[in-house]
Amino acid sequence: MRSSILVLILTTLSWTAFTPPNDNTMPVDACQIDNVSFQSGEKLVYKIYYNWNFIWASAGEVVFEVEDTGDEYHLTAFGYTYKSYDWFYRVRDRYDTYVNKETLLPRLSTKTIEEGSDRLYDKTTFNQQARRAKTIRGKTKATAENKFTFDLDNCMHDMLSMMYHARNIDYDSYKPQQQFPATIFMDKTVYPLQVKYYGKEVKKVKGKGKYNTILFSPEVVEGTIFKEGNQMRVWISDDDNKIPVLIESPLSVGSVKVVLKSYEGLRHAFEGVVE
């Protein structure tokens, strides 16, 4: 189990622009969005559980934070395993993205990956007007020298900007079973996926109580992490904050669960909890 995978899980939702509507597809515009859900100073902490051979183990945490830097928001995500889990597979992963306040589109994103003996530094600069991204990669920031240039779709998000864009969409007019396209720019590749909207439900989370939620099921990228047919399920709070409260997903080996542990600095009163 890798915390970087869980950052991906929490930031999987993203939308391409100008999707033509039909009976089962909802139109979503990734270029036009007003931020009404979050603010500078917000901090979300999630606890990671991994299941292998029917045993659930508390493995680590993922922390998301928002900082105001003037014309931009600085979004960060830090995923790490607990020291008690480090002997098995140590993880210290950090993601940083700077997004325009008006569009929530990324200008710059970096990630520093430390997973077991693996190391990776990736810095991507987005030119939204030219629809192009430039990436520098290497094992560390000091040694990064491999340079790549990519042509992108209009209004392209990275993993972190996806999450915050998704929280600002008005879902009230959508119907259960509708789908919308999602694009993930990850590791030099753009993945065209689909996300199914299931509607609203009261979700009981063990040890946390019940939440009013909106349920999605993002399509996953088949490979070493996910098997073909794996279905991820994401519950976000059905209130003005729209923060993820629970994520469940099978993996190639075992399964993972991500649970909201704590929150602070929310823009709105948290009304997702059922009394």
Side-chain angles (χ1 to χ4, degrees), residues 1 47-50 55-61 81-82 84-85:
M1 190 280 301
K47 198 166 184 177
I48 305 163
Y49 297 89
Y50 178 65
I55 298 175
W56 283 102
S58 177
E61 295 184 1
T81 46
Y82 294 135
S84 60
Y85 198 87

Side-chain angles (χ1 to χ4, degrees), residues 6 9-10 49 56 201 203-206 215-218 220 226 230-235 244-251 254-259:
L6 300 176
I9 289 173
L10 289 173
Y49 297 89
W56 283 102
E201 69 171 54
K203 179 63 177 177
K204 184 177 181 180
V205 181
K206 186 176 180 179
L215 172 61
F216 298 95
S217 179
V220 298
F226 301 107
N230 279 173
Q231 186 180 43
M232 182 188 303
R233 298 171 75 84
V234 181
W235 289 266
V245 296
L246 176 66
I247 298 166
E248 295 179 348
S249 179
L251 304 175
S255 58
V256 70
K257 182 183 298 184
V258 185
V259 181

Side-chain angles (χ1 to χ4, degrees), residues 73-84:
Y73 287 117
H74 177 196
L75 312 175
T76 64
F78 179 57
Y80 60 94
T81 46
Y82 294 135
K83 290 184 178 180
S84 60

Side-chain angles (χ1 to χ4, degrees), residues 85-200:
Y85 198 87
D86 282 349
W87 68 271
F88 178 70
Y89 196 84
R90 183 181 184 275
V91 172
R92 300 293 186 273
D93 292 347
R94 181 181 175 93
Y95 293 73
D96 292 83
T97 297
Y98 293 83
V99 300
N100 183 286
K101 282 185 177 180
E102 300 297 324
T103 65
L104 300 186
L105 291 171
R107 174 187 59 84
L108 175 68
S109 67
T110 64
K111 62 180 178 181
T112 304
I113 305 299
E114 297 182 11
E115 300 179 356
S117 61
D118 295 333
R119 298 292 183 271
L120 173 65
Y121 174 80
D122 181 294
K123 176 182 177 181
T124 300
T125 303
F126 293 85
N127 186 328
Q128 298 290 347
Q129 288 71 35
R131 302 185 186 182
R132 185 165 295 178
K134 294 183 178 180
T135 297
I136 301 175
R137 291 166 67 91
K139 285 192 173 182
T140 66
K141 182 177 180 179
T143 61
E145 58 181 7
N146 295 320
K147 299 180 181 180
F148 307 89
T149 300
F150 305 92
D151 293 323
L152 303 175
D153 293 335
N154 192 30
C155 306
M156 178 60 68
H157 286 271
D158 78 338
M159 294 201 307
L160 269 179
S161 67
M162 292 174 188
M163 174 181 174
Y164 290 90
H165 175 91
R167 289 173 55 189
N168 285 284
I169 292 177
D170 182 6
Y171 302 99
D172 288 341
S173 61
Y174 299 149
K175 298 178 181 179
Q177 307 303 315
Q178 284 186 305
Q179 297 185 55
F180 47 90
T183 54
I184 300 175
F185 182 63
M186 177 181 64
D187 294 332
K188 304 183 295 181
T189 304
V190 176
Y191 294 94
L193 305 173
Q194 291 287 325
V195 179
K196 180 175 285 189
Y197 169 71
Y198 281 98
K200 300 182 179 184

Side-chain angles (χ1 to χ4, degrees), residues 208-212 239 263 270-275:
K208 295 292 183 178
K210 296 180 179 179
Y211 295 93
N212 289 315
D239 65 358
Y263 54 86
F270 186 53
E271 298 177 347
V273 177
V274 177
E275 297 294 339

